[in-house]
Amino acid sequence: MRFSDFYAPTLKEAPSDSDIKSYELLIRGGFIRKISSGVYSYLPLGWKVIRKIESIVREEMENIGSQEIMLPIIHPAELWKMTGRWDDYGPELMKLKDRHDREFTLGPTHEEIVTFLMKNELRSYKQLPLNVFQIATKFRDEIRPRFGVLRAREFIMKDAYTFHTNYDSLRDYYMKFYQAYENILKRIGAKYVVVEADTGAIGGSFSHEFHVLAKNGEGRIFYCEECGYAASDEKAKSKEKFIPDESEPIKEIQKVDTKEAKTIEEVSKFLEISKDKLIKSILLKSNNGWVMALIRGDYEINVAKLRTILQDQTIDIAEAEEVYKKFKLNVGNIGPINIPEDIKIVADLSIKSIKNGVIGAMEEKKHYINATPYQDFRIDLMEDIRYIKEGEKCPNESCDSILKLTKGIEVGQIFELGNKYSSKMAALFTDEDGKQKPYIMGCYGWGVSRTLGAVVEQLNDENGILWPKSIAPFEVAIIPVTMNDMNIVETSEKIYNYLQQRGMDIIIDDRAVSAGIKFKDIDLIGIPLKIIIGKSLKEGKIELKLRNEEKSSLIEFNENNIEEFYHKVTEKLKDYDPTTVSNV
Ligand code: ATP
Ligand code: MG
């Protein structure tokens, strides 16, 4: 490709709405353009990278025998109502109506569609297992679309689905996908981690997430260096025990004035009682009503854990205004005493250590002190519903180490669904024993467009992007430092033609601009290797410079043996590892 013909509109300035480095670099490098919140166009550079990511993903899917299909984007509401997800998935669905007032959604994921499709196809155990995938556009009306293509409302996903007669077969395929996903990450060449994950609105019983490490990633990951345990923060557990102080006598509960103090911070300061003696009472709402969660003041509630425990994906922390409307109280004064009986109270294990604690009094400007769980207020369920903290003990029984925290960007997730969808949609097959049974299913998502952003987020420096070879828009850039020296121009063209004919993905910066501008743009765009053809050509030498190298190296060039030069270039590229500058 010739830069002079190529549409790569680089920009000097960061976009005014930049909220993360990768978004800034993808805009400045001329990879993407924003159309509206969470909606992007891909320019030639961006699309080239997307196509390379897609082909790695496609190859790895085909390697495990997955067959490519294409499912519709427009999903009839009835299918989503059958599984209950029309309501459960709720506001994230991009809903629309046709001219007959029939309801549809733009597909955010395709379990309903693929289950419905197969329900009419796979009738016998003889047709199972089946493994299919597609690479297509997905729509999710995210609450906060942000970070460019990392959290978009329209994005590209690879989604695969498997159908089985039994769980052994499912586990077998699940492990194949696990391996394929690791292969994808290895081939891409960014640092990554695999973690045990919460199953969220997709559901099912068993799940892993694949994260590209990045210090600005949204995914918080707890891991143990000793035994290899790794889990997303939504799922991570620890061996922390919460033991009350035996020597502390239980005192009588007492209502006290706390004036304007409402938050844990304020109440702790006002009463001069440490946060681990305070009990946070949190009201949550779901399609099934209200729930109260109690947690020690120095911890944060983990709604994902609560959703799993109560098997209700619609649970969310209630807005302060909603709470005010229902209880005529500020959230800071809410507490478990005098809360209506029909509101279930779920307490975190951390509450176990509290005697004589502080709780909201269900009265403006009042709290109780010396409140003791079970004695002074009811608890219906005590479970782990908190986010653990760095430094807590590894949950593996046989491990004595502690957990560390790192950050990543989730690029893929795999789920064992079991019969969650097939049973609700009556998607049955006849088994060997002649009985009708729902399919056992797995589903496997990969964020193709998110991968574009995630890799940039990990691999960048002050000059721009450092693409790994496998997905770089071009592997090599040829830079004639001037277009006014015929020798330089002709040699550059010769090398360009030769390397291209040898199958290299290559761009020649043949623009009539200064060498400085060329270097800046090529580095911003993130090409792994620059072949710089300049003054030293007179001495029969050409400069090679990897994107992460401080200094270039001079290579002998003999125009009668360009093949030899080609080998030197490929040798040089072999050494290239952009993760030396990774931002993890
Ligand atoms: P997240 O927790 O980040 O919202 P998710 O767990 O809801 O993602 P999945 O349902 O597991 O996402 O979807 C499979 C993959 O699709 C994700 O691993 C991610 O790479 C990608 N993906 C999901 N939501 C988005 C989005 N809004 N923008 C871009 N990619 C996305
Ligand atoms: Mg996910």
Side-chain angles (χ1 to χ4, degrees), residues 89 92 108-109 140 142 148-158 202 209-210 218 234 410-413 415 444-451:
Y89 218 98
E92 260 183 43
T109 176
R140 293 184 185 179
E142 297 274 354
V149 293
L150 292 177
R151 187 166 297 287
R153 296 199 295 170
E154 174 177 328
F155 58 96
I156 306 166
M157 197 204 286
K158 185 284 301 171
I202 305 267
E209 282 171 6
F210 297 74
E218 282 187 289
E234 291 186 333
E410 177 199 320
V411 287
Q413 187 167 10
F415 304 82
Y444 317 85
W446 186 281
V448 171
S449 48
R450 184 181 279 184
T451 305

